[in-house]
């Protein structure tokens, strides 16, 4: 396992469409392992393969609703994720490891159902709620070269950012 470098906005890789994974090989499992390390090290709640320079449809999302689990146990690995259903709406601050220091107000569904493949190549479906639903949408957007800034109605001011960090 190893940490990978997280690309930042301005890097063209972040604007590209990612190819589906046709077969879950050891190479994909190594990518997942490295992404796990990189995500846990970053303090973020999600990471998409293009953020570490790999143009494949692979993302990680932390299910922070599972409070009894360790951060490593909260990670959901999603290969070729697709949004099947959404319910409700939430509006709130959103950031990205590839856009450090900037948070924007983004409207997302409150609940999101995703179908994906796991590292064994098996298909599964999962609902995410709240921050997890937001992260599903955000990370899947990355696979089509979309950053949260495109959905953001406005960027938070320094004062709002400060108030937000004091809340944590
Ligand atoms: Ni992001």
């Amino acid at each position: 396992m190893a940490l990978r470098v997280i690309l930042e906005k301005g890097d063209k890789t972040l604007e590209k469409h990612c190819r589906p994974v046709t077969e879950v090989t050891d190479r994909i499992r190594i990518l997942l392992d490295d992404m796990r390390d990189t995500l846990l090290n970053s303090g973020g709640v999600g990471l998409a393969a293009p953020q570490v320079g790999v143009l494949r449809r692979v993302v990680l999302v932390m299910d922070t609703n599972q409070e009894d689990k360790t951060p490593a146990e909260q990670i959901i690995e999603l290969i070729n994720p697709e949004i099947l259903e959404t319910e409700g709406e939430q509006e709130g601050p959103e950031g990205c490891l590839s856009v450090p220091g900037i948070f924007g107000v983004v409207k997302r569904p409150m609940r999101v159902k995703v179908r994906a493949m796991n590292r064994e190549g098996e298909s599964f479906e999962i609902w995410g709620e709240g921050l997890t639903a937001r992260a599903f949408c955000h990370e899947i957007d990355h696979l089509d070269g979309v950053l949260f800034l495109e959905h953001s109605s406005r960027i938070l001011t320094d004062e709002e950012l400060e108030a937000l960090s004091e809340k944590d």
Side-chain angles (χ1 to χ4, degrees):
M1 296 213 230
L3 293 181
R4 301 215 185 178
V5 174
I6 298 176
L7 304 179
E8 294 190 2
K9 186 179 180 296
D11 193 303
K12 292 283 174 218
T13 306
L14 293 173
E15 298 167 16
K16 295 191 170 139
H17 283 262
C18 297
R19 286 182 297 128
V21 173
T22 49
E23 192 191 347
V24 185
T25 57
D26 283 345
R27 200 184 159 100
I28 294 291
R29 281 185 278 266
I30 289 167
L31 170 67
L32 284 166
D33 288 342
D34 288 357
M35 284 175 64
R36 293 179 74 91
D37 281 357
T38 307
L39 177 59
L40 291 170
N41 184 61
S42 73
V45 293
L47 185 69
Q51 291 182 279
V52 296
V54 178
L55 291 172
R56 304 308 293 273
R57 302 189 81 81
V58 173
V59 309
L60 303 183
V61 167
M62 298 194 48
D63 187 354
T64 50
N65 298 317
Q66 309 269 331
E67 284 172 9
D68 50 328
K69 291 188 177 173
T70 66
E73 289 169 345
Q74 289 177 345
I75 295 177
I76 306 164
E77 300 176 344
L78 304 158
I79 300 169
N80 299 341
E82 279 176 88
I83 293 175
L84 298 179
E85 246 179 274
T86 66
E87 286 178 0
E89 197 176 81
Q90 58 176 321
E91 190 174 46
E94 192 167 314
C96 178
L97 294 169
S98 294
V99 192
I102 294 181
F103 286 79
V105 176
V106 181
K107 212 178 264 183
R108 299 283 194 187
M110 184 53 89
R111 283 171 295 282
V112 174
K113 186 186 189 181
V114 171
R115 178 167 54 214
M117 219 163 38
N118 65 18
R119 64 165 63 210
E120 271 75 51
E122 300 155 348
S123 178
F124 68 99
E125 291 176 8
I126 187 169
W127 277 98
E129 189 165 352
L131 183 58
T132 307
R134 180 178 287 285
F136 280 161
C137 297
H138 177 116
E139 300 312 328
I140 292 170
D141 273 351
H142 269 299
L143 303 181
D144 294 310
V146 174
L147 296 179
F148 77 95
L149 297 167
E150 290 188 36
H151 297 304
S152 185
S153 53
R154 65 182 184 87
I155 300 301
L156 296 194
T157 63
D158 289 348
E159 288 75 19
E160 287 173 311
L161 263 183
E162 232 168 84
L164 198 69
S165 61
E166 275 166 15
K167 217 170 57 181
D168 289 341

